């Protein structure tokens, strides 16, 4: 399948590009390149050819000839989403609806959107299913729901949108992020031999490895149309609903001499997610990773690259720091368009 992968220069996108190419899809990447300065290691995995462009400026002509758009290119976490919620809506909601409309006009038949389990917000003790009530707490999560609704309404015989509500991602990527719980705790354990949490670590959260997200995307692209047409899937696995303190315990056990301290503040984001639908409807899908394996992968990578505090603190590896830096230095304008 000929696939346009937006956000291909991001944390998940780099490894998803490798993964889809290895499954013999023809992949072209598109990305504005906000986070290109954060590159932690190289490999000899094949990478897609890249187009540098903002998704809000993509035209029907850019999309002609593709069978599918896999859309990752959005403001990618809650804190960046709150820098200017108006811009978040312009990119993550209006920008995505615009891109989907252009894709449909260009004859692209599948549109796979990276939604998020954060749409469930602070939900009840029961694990949330796709049809359950949602309670998004932030602009970021609200935009994910608006896209599901508005791009979902574009579904037709020749246009099949699919929405993947991913759990919180973890794992090694050349374009590493350290503003994600597992990655941050792994870095802290490795560098400081200490995990010091301000929270009590009690909230439940679902986690998933970036290659399992990539596998879910491949399964959607390769599934019969009726299995994925207009569907929403939670992406993750039942056993990867963890209390955050369990993640800290796993890491402190993997790093010899690592101490572990919990605080007493509570986190409003507390939810567990039910992943039965994706396993039933996409029989080829299963998670090959868990947090312990993903943590070992990162710790091995840290040792290979001589990972140290300066790399951990570098703005290229933390989305909020990098966007603030690009704004403050006048490299992007107030709508996150490049000024040069
Ligand atoms: N990382 C997670 O835990 C997680 C969980 C659920 C969903 N998601 C979603 O998956 C997607 C990818 O996440 P990630 O962790 O790789 O984030 P990321 O920030 O590393 O990657 C996003 C990429 O999109 C690009 N981008 C942003 N706005 C753009 C625009 N207007 N035009 C062109 N390119 C633009 C950025 O330059 C970046 O390379 C996002 O949509 C995110 O919301 C991520």
């Amino acid at each position: 399948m000929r696939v346009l992968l937006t956000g291909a220069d991001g944390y998940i996108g780099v490894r998803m590009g490798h993964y889809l190419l290895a499954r013999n899809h023809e992949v072209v990447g598109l990305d504005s390149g906000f986070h290109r300065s954060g590159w932690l290691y190289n490999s000899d995995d094949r990478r897609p050819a890249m187009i540098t462009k903002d998704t809000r400026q993509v035209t029907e002509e850019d999309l002609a000839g593709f069978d599918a758009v896999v859309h990752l290119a959005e403001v990618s976490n809650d804190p960046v989403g709150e820098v200017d919620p108006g811009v978040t809506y312009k990119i993550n909601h209006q920008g995505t609806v615009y891109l989907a409309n252009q894709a449909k006009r260009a004859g692209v038949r599948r549109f796979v959107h990276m939604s998020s389990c954060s749409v469930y917000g602070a939900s009840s003790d029961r694990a949330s299913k796709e049809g359950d009530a949602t309670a998004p707490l932030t602009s970021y999560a609200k935009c994910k729901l608006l896209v599901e609704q508005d791009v979902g309404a574009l579904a037709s015989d020749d246009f099949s949108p699919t929405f993947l509500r991913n759990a919180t991602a973890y794992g090694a990527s050349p374009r590493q992020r350290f503003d994600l719980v597992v990655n941050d705790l792994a870095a802290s354990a490795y560098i400081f031999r200490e995990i010091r949490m301000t929270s009590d670590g009690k909230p439940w959260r679902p986690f998933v490895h970036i290659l399992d997200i990539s596998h879910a995307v491949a399964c959607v692209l390769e599934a019969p149309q009726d299995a994925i047409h207009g569907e929403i899937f939670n992406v993750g696995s039942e056993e990867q609903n963890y209390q955050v303190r369990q993640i800290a315990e796993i890491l402190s056990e993997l790093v010899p001499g690592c101490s572990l301290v919990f605080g007493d503040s509570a986190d409003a984001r507390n939810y567990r997610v039910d992943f039965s639908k994706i396993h039933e409807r996409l029989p080829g899908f299963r998670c090959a990773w868990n947090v312990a394996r993903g943590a070992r992968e990162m710790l091995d990578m840290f040792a290979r690259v001589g990972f140290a505090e300066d790399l951990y603190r570098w703005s290229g590896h933390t989305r909020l720091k990098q966007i603030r830096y690009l704004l403050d230095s006048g490299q992007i304008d107030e709508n996150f368009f490049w000024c040069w």
Side-chain angles (χ1 to χ4, degrees):
M1 199 174 257
R2 193 164 150 71
V3 180
L4 182 74
L5 178 63
T6 77
D9 260 342
Y11 167 61
I12 300 173
V14 170
R15 287 201 75 183
M16 192 179 290
H18 300 157
Y19 191 83
L20 295 179
L21 284 168
R23 279 178 84 103
N24 290 325
H25 292 287
E26 209 181 310
V27 184
V28 175
L30 182 141
D31 201 298
S32 57
F34 293 144
H35 306 293
R36 277 189 190 140
S37 57
W39 189 260
L40 202 48
Y41 66 95
N42 286 293
S43 73
D44 60 5
D45 292 300
R46 269 200 308 144
R47 296 209 59 210
M50 289 297 306
I51 298 167
T52 298
K53 196 160 192 171
D54 195 290
T55 51
R56 293 165 289 177
Q57 296 171 327
V58 168
T59 62
E60 205 179 311
E61 293 72 49
D62 292 325
L63 295 158
F66 287 101
D67 303 302
V69 170
V70 178
H71 182 46
L72 278 61
E74 291 183 351
V75 167
S76 60
N77 69 7
D78 294 325
V80 181
E82 297 309 320
V83 167
D84 181 344
V87 179
T88 305
Y89 279 83
K90 283 181 189 163
I91 295 176
N92 288 20
H93 176 220
Q94 293 157 23
T96 295
V97 174
Y98 165 80
L99 182 70
N101 268 302
Q102 296 299 104
K104 184 173 175 175
R105 279 201 207 104
V108 176
R109 298 184 68 86
R110 293 194 182 196
F111 189 91
V112 187
H113 178 247
M114 294 290 105
S115 187
S116 163
C117 284
S118 64
V119 299
Y120 297 117
S123 60
S124 66
D125 283 345
R126 196 167 67 83
S128 299
K129 295 187 174 200
E130 291 82 349
D132 288 350
T134 50
L137 299 172
T138 60
S139 307
Y140 169 81
K142 287 172 189 166
C143 284
K144 295 292 187 194
L145 270 186
L146 288 169
V147 166
E148 291 180 7
Q149 175 193 297
D150 293 349
V151 175
L154 298 177
S156 63
D157 286 349
D158 49 12
F159 187 72
S160 298
T162 307
F163 307 95
L164 298 182
R165 288 183 182 166
N166 300 293
T168 300
Y170 63 83
S173 166
R175 193 149 280 116
Q176 192 67 32
R177 284 181 59 178
F178 292 117
D179 50 7
L180 295 165
V181 177
V182 180
N183 301 0
D184 184 33
L185 295 183
S188 179
Y190 183 84
I191 297 168
F192 306 116
R193 296 289 189 268
E194 178 182 84
I195 294 179
R196 181 173 289 277
M197 298 184 61
T198 50
S199 79
D200 58 14
K202 288 190 179 146
W204 288 90
R205 296 269 295 277
F207 294 91
V208 66
H209 192 276
I210 53 179
L211 282 181
D212 287 331
I213 295 177
S214 304
H215 182 54
V217 166
C219 289
V220 169
L221 294 175
E222 295 159 17
Q225 187 187 5
D226 61 353
I228 54 88
H229 181 79
E231 295 291 342
I232 298 172
F233 295 104
N234 295 332
V235 178
S237 59
E238 173 60 32
E239 56 284 6
Q240 291 189 89
N241 283 300
Y242 292 94
Q243 279 182 298
V244 178
R245 63 187 304 129
Q246 291 176 281
I247 306 280
E249 283 159 6
I250 290 169
L251 273 152
S252 68
E253 280 162 24
L254 284 174
V255 176
C258 179
S259 66
L260 177 55
V261 182
F262 294 104
D264 52 15
S265 69
D267 187 339
R269 286 180 305 169
N270 174 37
Y271 54 94
R272 273 184 291 178
V273 174
D274 182 302
F275 297 100
S276 45
K277 180 178 171 184
I278 190 167
H279 290 86
E280 285 159 16
R281 296 286 292 273
L282 298 178
F285 178 78
R286 67 170 191 87
C287 287
W289 293 77
N290 60 26
V291 164
R293 184 177 171 207
R296 278 195 294 272
E297 175 197 42
M298 277 186 279
L299 295 170
D300 288 348
M301 181 269 283
F302 293 158
R304 284 203 318 272
V305 303
F307 186 58
E309 188 172 352
D310 56 339
L311 289 167
Y312 173 53
R313 305 260 182 233
W314 170 236
S315 59
H317 297 302
T318 299
R319 297 299 172 252
L320 182 60
K321 275 189 197 171
Q322 176 69 2
I323 291 296
R324 283 205 190 286
Y325 161 68
L326 294 176
L327 283 167
D328 293 347
S329 57
Q331 296 182 69
I332 56 173
D333 69 15
E334 69 280 9
N335 285 310
F336 296 10
F337 284 113
W338 290 108
C339 294
W340 297 345

